[in-house]
Amino acid sequence: MDWQAKWIWDKNEPSPRNFYWCARKTFDAPDKFEHIDLHISADSRYSLWLNGEYLGFGPVRAFTQNWRYDSYDITNYIKPGKNAVAVLVQHYGIGTFQYLDAPGGLVAQVNLDGHVVAATDSTWKTLCHPAYERRTPRTACQQAWTEAFDARSEPTGWRKVDFDDSRWDQPVVVGEVGCEPWGKLLPRDIPFLTNAPVYPVRTIRTRTVKAPEQAWGINIRMIQHPEDKTANPLAMIGLVATMLYCSKDTNVKIKPFYCNCKALRLDGADLDKDTAQAGVDICAGGHLLVADITIPWYHDSNFTLIIEGDGVKLQSPLGKDAPTPFAVTSYLPSTDDPSFVSAWHAEKAEELQGIPEVRAVTLEELYEVNVAAITADADDAGAEVCITEPEAMLVANDNATTIAPAKDGDTEILLDFGRMTTGFLEIALDAPEGLIVDFNGFEYISNGRHQPTFTLNNTFRYIARKGPQTWRSVIRRAARYATLTLRFPDGCITPAKFQTIKFYEHTYPYVERGEFACSDYKLNKIWDISRLTVRLCSEDTFVDCPTYEQTFWVGDARNESLFAYTAFGDYKLARRCLKLAGESMWRSPIVESQVPSGWEDILPAWSLLWAMGCAEHYDFTADKAFLEEVYPDIRKQNFNMRRHFTNKEGLYEMEDAWNLLDWAPMDTPRQGAMAHLSMLLCAVYRRSAKVAETLGKRDDAQLYIQWADELKSAINKRLWDENKQAYIDCIHADGTRSSVISQQTQTMAYLCDVVPADKAELFMSYLIDVPEGWVKIGSPFMMAFTLEALDKAGDVAGVVELIRKWWGMMVDDGATTCWETFPGWFGEWPARSHCHAWSAAPAFSLPSYVLGVRPAAPGFERFEVRPFLGDLEWAKGSVPTPHGNIDVNLKRDAAKTTLKLSVPEGTTAIVNGKECSFGIHELSL
């Protein structure tokens, strides 16, 4: 790109929190032209329109110094004469798990037949969007802010050509392309994502509800750490206080909601939280309520309080002139601090007023609206629901669902989209002015109750202007189910007419090249939910889940890459993820756990799985250029592992790291020598040696083999427990040996080839038959390694058995996507996330182990076919490769099993030691 555009931004503040900024420019196009393109980027994200028509969303996530831009062919959107580019920039103003905090900025350029006709500079027209409420809570600690939009304040038609922007502001020019902090501006490296409409399939329930009388929210992190805009976990040590005033004796319910509330005190006495939520009798007058919001370690902290009681009002303990009803302590060194002790034991408001660390909560620190708090547990109002044609809004047609104001309460509609989906929501309605539409999306329903995921605010609020209107959210979210609550203005008698509500599904544009089907209906359903899970967790990177986090976890992505290779035959997204992960070593000694992220975190297993993923990408693609690009990062990580994180006993050990492998009670503290990490590192050294050999770096290869041999010896010398005939989980930092034996560690030992040959058969038995007292596998993610190990052991029957058992359980429960964990880790609910791609192992295992297709040479130039029917009557499918699809059709009759195989041109298949070249082959097995 020959950039003539400049980075521009708002004149008032370089990095405002939760900020929405409009920018527009008109330009003229001649009567005749050949080609027009538009190039654009923004920090943090943009939504783009041309002549009022929506074009797209971006840019892809990236580290600031290697920021990305998008290019659109707008030739067919341009008309001769005047045209208008309109951009809405959403700037987070904080770090998230997808983004490192940086100043706001916009850069855009329109080229017509090679000439620049519009480019961002000081002549553009800009405006802080007045319809977006900035005082909203975070969606989750991993994400930015929830959405609250008041259509009555929107500049109507601002995206269109003829809009009068003469009174809008002019931006500040930040600098030329290449200026700090963005550095390089690189082109987008993957296709644009999909934009496919998905409608609800049914209405589950309609009812009238009553919102809580009072729901308050406070941004504690902003108060206690105002200068910190990272996503790093911090301690919150302090108190929140308010006065409850009532004119008569009453019962009041005090409900902390989705927040850290360690303890409560009322008038200086301890108040049990369960008792407080059920209701406390208080006498007329004022009562001091104090909440301990201390938490030693977390990324974000909000205090949300629901108060329900006849005539109960809140007032600041600092007096009537305080801006909000709440007082708060600034960050305190500990709960033993004298100011904390004095405030915690205060019985009256006056006692707080003399403590210097106690101050009023400002309006900016108080949330204007918390939709999750008022919708998650709304009480049934019991009034008649006034709805006609309730199903009209579920489909694209000219009809509408009419909702009239209820006599008592608000109208709640519970929708089912039929399956999990993710993207941008759009509503179209004809409404009375001031109608409030509250959306709350969630993933799971059981026995008529929906699961509220802790701390998740998967919500928006839309306040309607009068008349017909369509509004599209600019924040990506996911759901299978949702409540839509309509709150009519007081005294309103005009009904609302809802035309549609729909998602524009926004996922990586996979083509479904991979196929699998067999005689077992349940396995077919498992394949379907696994493939859908991978699709919904593929955005501009792989993500762990599309609802709660939307985070590119590097270790998850190693497995997700394999799943995408066999389910879709796509390699670009994995390539992007692997390269992006390697970039994280600009600030860390080894690859970080999730990137690009405002949380600077090391999870060593994920770092090692990244290196494995790089080697496997070459196995599946034969992309040597990729290998050459990432090898310097692989080498850097290997050398740092050896030089800085190998202890005197020859084992891997890092001073402080998140040593997770599975959601299960393994003994993996943040310090010490973890067995599974030494085992993984041993395997990574050996895979790195093959990579180095491929690239002609024989000295490196020999060194890696030497390191692997030394590490294997140290593992068997230091981590083996002869009495238990197994490897212990770790050696603690003080030198004590762990007493915990886990199935996870034994699986990794077998898979990573550290088990001596004379014990291999014993360890094969550990893969399924877990001795009493061992820690068992807790997630489908870890189970994927067991499936891999069983295949290595030649036990494909065991693979099928585990898939039927664990993923079949999800199918039996009605799941449309794969759960994050197996039941037992999140209380009464099966999992925290019900769409989690680290769990989609059958998308890889069924074609690789049942159809039996796996590469024998890079890029499938040679491939093996080792099919397994077991108790199946037939199985068939297609395994995509860079050379084309490998089609497999297996059938068994009384006499024999027949394999029909298509071999792509330029490849050779190996079946039972026999080579088969290009063409269709039919063989008896």
Side-chain angles (χ1 to χ4, degrees):
M1 265 292 293
D2 177 16
W3 285 102
Q4 297 181 30
K6 312 290 194 298
W7 281 99
I8 60 172
W9 188 237
D10 186 69
K11 62 183 179 182
N12 294 310
E13 190 178 349
S15 185
R17 293 177 189 260
N18 197 15
F19 185 67
Y20 292 84
W21 192 61
C22 305
R24 50 178 277 124
K25 180 70 174 179
T26 59
F27 64 91
D28 290 322
D31 291 339
K32 294 182 179 181
F33 49 84
E34 294 294 327
H35 181 80
I36 308 180
D37 50 30
L38 185 153
H39 310 277
I40 184 171
S41 190
D43 193 325
S44 307
R45 299 292 185 264
Y46 73 81
S47 298
L48 172 66
W49 293 263
L50 184 69
N51 297 335
E53 187 169 350
Y54 179 79
L55 288 187
F57 171 87
V60 295
R61 66 188 82 186
F63 284 105
T64 312
Q65 62 269 34
N66 288 322
W67 204 244
R68 297 281 177 170
Y69 70 90
D70 293 331
S71 297
Y72 295 86
D73 182 348
I74 59 174
T75 306
N76 294 329
Y77 295 85
I78 296 295
K79 60 183 181 181
K82 195 174 183 181
N83 295 267
V85 175
V87 185
L88 177 65
V89 179
Q90 182 196 7
H91 185 69
Y92 302 153
I94 52 168
T96 71
F97 283 25
Q98 301 87 29
Y99 169 79
L100 280 71
D101 179 55
L106 169 68
V107 62
Q109 183 168 305
V110 179
N111 297 334
L112 188 154
D113 290 342
H115 301 287
V116 176
V117 294
T120 44
D121 58 19
S122 60
T123 66
W124 281 53
K125 293 293 187 172
T126 64
L127 180 73
C128 171
H129 200 307
Y132 283 95
E133 173 58 57
R134 296 178 61 190
R135 294 187 295 120
T136 64
R138 300 275 293 274
T139 300
C141 72
Q142 297 89 347
Q143 298 186 56
W145 313 93
T146 60
E147 212 170 5
F149 186 90
D150 189 340
R152 297 171 298 180
S153 301
E154 183 178 29
T156 304
W158 73 271
R159 305 178 189 94
K160 295 183 178 179
V161 174
D162 56 358
F163 178 77
D164 181 4
D165 58 18
S166 60
R167 295 187 179 183
W168 281 27
D169 298 327
Q170 289 182 287
V172 172
V173 173
V174 176
E176 304 281 342
V177 170
C179 70
E180 296 298 328
W182 301 285
K184 297 177 184 177
L185 194 54
L186 304 173
R188 183 186 184 99
D189 50 350
I190 55 171
F192 285 110
L193 306 191
T194 62
N195 193 37
V198 176
Y199 293 84
V201 298
R202 64 178 176 136
T203 297
I204 297 176
R205 181 188 68 212
T206 60
R207 63 174 182 163
T208 55
V209 295
K210 286 186 176 180
E213 296 167 17
Q214 300 183 65
W216 302 87
I218 303 171
N219 189 326
I220 300 299
R221 180 167 177 139
M222 181 191 294
I223 291 170
Q224 295 220 331
H225 302 282
E227 301 304 319
D228 188 280
K229 289 191 173 185
T230 72
N232 289 324
L234 298 170
M236 314 289 166
I237 305 175
L239 305 168
V240 173
T242 189
M243 293 294 297
L244 308 179
Y245 278 94
C246 54
S247 58
K248 60 181 180 179
D249 296 354
T250 191
N251 183 274
V252 61
K253 295 179 180 178
I254 304 167
K255 303 177 180 179
F257 176 81
Y258 278 13
C259 65
N260 180 66
C261 180
K262 190 176 180 182
L264 292 169
R265 287 174 74 86
L266 187 65
D267 296 332
D270 291 337
L271 178 60
D272 177 74
K273 287 192 289 183
D274 290 338
T275 301
Q277 294 197 41
V280 180
D281 292 327
I282 59 174
C283 61
H287 300 270
L288 178 64
L289 178 68
V290 181
D292 182 353
I293 48 83
T294 298
I295 185 169
W297 189 95
Y298 202 58
H299 306 278
D300 191 37
S301 186
N302 301 313
F303 179 72
T304 302
L305 185 67
I306 295 173
I307 300 290
E308 294 184 277
D310 186 19
V312 175
K313 304 295 182 185
L314 301 192
Q315 183 177 304
S316 173
L318 303 183
K320 294 181 179 180
D321 294 333
T324 72
F326 293 93
V328 67
T329 61
S330 56
Y331 179 77
L332 297 170
S334 74
T335 55
D336 295 326
D337 185 88
S339 294
F340 186 98
V341 174
S342 298
W344 180 237
H345 290 281
E347 298 179 19
K348 298 181 179 180
E350 293 77 10
E351 298 174 48
L352 295 179
Q353 294 171 10
I355 301 173
E357 288 83 1
V358 175
R359 69 165 178 84
V361 173
T362 67
L363 280 172
E364 289 72 22
E365 295 159 345
L366 198 69
Y367 298 131
E368 174 67 20
V369 60
N370 187 327
V371 174
I374 64 175
T375 58
D377 294 307
D379 292 327
D380 195 319
E384 181 183 358
V385 177
C386 304
I387 296 181
T388 57
E389 295 193 71
E391 295 180 346
M393 64 186 291
L394 306 184
V395 293
N397 60 32
D398 293 330
N399 299 321
T401 297
T402 301
I403 305 116
K407 291 182 178 180
D408 187 26
D410 305 313
T411 300
E412 179 194 86
I413 305 170
L414 177 57
L415 300 170
D416 179 7
F417 285 85
R419 62 169 176 82
M420 280 293 302
T421 184
T422 180
F424 301 101
L425 271 155
E426 182 180 277
I427 55 176
L429 68 161
D430 187 345
E433 184 171 350
L435 173 74
I436 294 174
V437 180
D438 284 341
F439 173 95
N440 190 357
F442 47 95
E443 295 184 335
Y444 186 72
I445 286 180
S446 178
N447 297 321
R449 294 175 55 239
H450 66 262
Q451 177 181 350
T453 305
F454 181 69
T455 75
L456 176 64
N457 297 294
N458 190 23
T459 65
F460 69 71
R461 164 164 286 188
Y462 179 79
I463 305 177
R465 62 181 179 269
K466 183 179 179 180
Q469 55 211 282
T470 299
W471 177 75
R472 177 178 175 136
S473 166
V474 296
I475 292 180
R476 179 197 186 93
R477 56 177 56 81
R480 171 170 178 181
Y481 306 98
T483 55
L484 203 63
T485 306
L486 278 67
R487 311 183 195 279
F488 288 85
D490 290 342
C492 178
I493 60 172
T494 305
K497 295 182 179 180
F498 235 97
Q499 276 84 36
T500 56
I501 176 170
K502 59 186 173 184
F503 272 94
Y504 281 102
E505 195 161 83
H506 194 245
T507 62
Y508 188 84
Y510 288 126
V511 175
E512 294 187 352
R513 295 176 58 202
E515 296 178 7
F516 176 84
C518 68
S519 55
D520 185 334
Y521 170 80
K522 186 169 287 187
L523 287 180
N524 296 338
K525 290 293 292 182
I526 290 168
W527 162 262
D528 289 341
I529 71 167
S530 299
R531 184 166 60 173
L532 178 60
T533 303
V534 176
R535 177 182 290 281
L536 295 180
C537 294
S538 297
E539 303 177 9
D540 54 351
T541 61
F542 293 114
V543 297
D544 59 335
C545 52
T547 309
Y548 183 64
E549 294 197 34
Q550 302 182 14
T551 300
F552 166 32
W553 287 95
V554 171
D556 301 30
R558 176 268 176 173
N559 288 12
E560 290 159 17
S561 296
L562 294 173
F563 307 162
Y565 297 159
T566 50
F568 301 108
D570 183 88
Y571 312 107
K572 290 181 181 178
L573 188 61
R575 193 182 201 278
R576 171 170 212 275
C577 289
L578 293 165
K579 291 185 65 178
L580 187 60
E583 289 181 28
S584 69
M585 284 195 284
W586 70 271
R587 65 175 183 178
S588 297
I590 60 178
V591 165
E592 293 181 359
S593 63
Q594 17 80 58
V595 298
S597 176
W599 178 22
E600 189 175 356
D601 175 62
I602 298 293
L603 203 168
W606 276 213
S607 311
L608 296 170
L609 288 171
W610 165 80
M612 296 288 283
C614 290
E616 290 164 343
H617 186 75
Y618 178 69
D619 292 342
F620 278 79
T621 66
D623 186 350
K624 192 171 181 180
F626 162 78
L627 216 54
E628 290 169 341
E629 289 178 45
V630 297
Y631 180 73
D633 291 331
I634 295 173
R635 187 179 192 276
K636 180 180 180 180
Q637 176 167 282
N638 284 344
F639 273 77
N640 283 342
M641 285 283 192
R642 177 71 176 186
R643 290 170 178 170
H644 304 304
F645 307 123
T646 302
N647 66 18
K648 61 183 180 181
E649 294 182 329
L651 299 172
Y652 166 86
E653 183 172 1
M654 185 180 281
E655 185 175 333
D656 183 28
W658 187 12
N659 292 316
L660 174 78
L661 180 62
D662 187 21
W663 290 127
M666 296 175 65
D667 189 3
T668 54
R670 292 190 69 89
Q671 296 182 335
M674 305 298 118
H676 74 271
L677 292 176
S678 286
M679 293 164 179
L680 264 174
L681 180 56
C682 188
V684 165
Y685 282 153
R686 296 194 186 281
R687 289 306 305 266
S688 299
K690 292 182 179 179
V691 169
E693 285 282 1
T694 299
L695 299 178
K697 301 180 183 297
R698 293 186 176 82
D699 290 346
D700 283 359
Q702 292 174 1
L703 198 59
Y704 299 150
I705 292 295
Q706 176 190 328
W707 292 351
D709 291 343
E710 293 171 358
L711 185 52
K712 179 177 179 179
S713 176
I715 290 168
N716 283 290
K717 182 177 181 181
R718 303 294 182 186
L719 296 171
W720 178 252
D721 187 312
E722 185 63 28
N723 292 329
K724 296 180 179 178
Q725 287 292 289
Y727 296 97
I728 60 176
D729 270 2
C730 73
I731 299 174
H732 295 123
D734 63 2
T736 58
R737 292 170 59 82
S738 174
S739 61
V740 176
I741 304 293
S742 67
Q743 184 186 15
Q744 293 87 337
T745 294
Q746 315 319 308
T747 299
M748 285 313 218
Y750 180 77
L751 197 55
C752 296
D753 289 322
V754 300
V755 177
D758 62 337
K759 293 184 173 65
E761 189 171 340
L762 173 66
F763 272 73
M764 288 163 58
S765 71
Y766 291 162
L767 297 176
I768 291 183
D769 298 324
V770 185
E772 189 67 30
W774 285 22
V775 174
K776 297 181 181 180
I777 287 171
S779 70
F781 169 74
M782 184 62 218
M783 190 64 74
F785 295 100
T786 300
L787 302 182
E788 192 176 343
L790 285 168
D791 174 66
K792 175 181 170 138
D795 185 8
V796 181
V799 171
V800 175
E801 176 187 343
L802 289 179
I803 290 175
R804 281 175 170 152
K805 176 181 179 180
W806 292 106
W807 281 267
M809 172 184 59
M810 303 177 201
V811 167
D812 289 343
D813 196 62
T816 61
T817 46
C818 301
W819 300 344
E820 177 183 7
T821 55
F822 298 133
W825 299 105
F826 292 96
E828 63 180 299
W829 307 107
R832 176 181 60 176
S833 166
H834 292 261
C835 181
H836 212 284
W838 81 345
S839 301
F844 177 78
S845 300
L846 292 174
S848 298
Y849 306 149
V850 175
L851 300 184
V853 178
R854 71 278 314 273
F860 287 85
E861 185 177 345
R862 293 171 63 83
F863 61 90
E864 290 184 285
V865 182
R866 286 186 275 146
F868 174 85
L869 271 182
D871 59 0
L872 299 173
E873 296 175 9
W874 58 268
K876 64 181 180 179
S878 292
V879 179
T881 81
H883 297 274
N885 277 18
I886 299 167
D887 296 324
V888 176
N889 194 327
L890 287 163
K891 284 185 179 180
R892 179 173 43 216
D893 56 29
K896 62 180 180 179
T897 297
T898 302
L899 166 66
K900 190 173 183 180
L901 173 69
S902 71
V903 180
E905 188 173 3
T907 69
T908 301
I910 305 166
V911 185
N912 291 339
K914 178 183 176 182
E915 292 190 352
C916 302
S917 58
F918 170 58
I920 297 175
H921 303 265
E922 191 163 323
L923 305 97
S924 295
L925 300 179

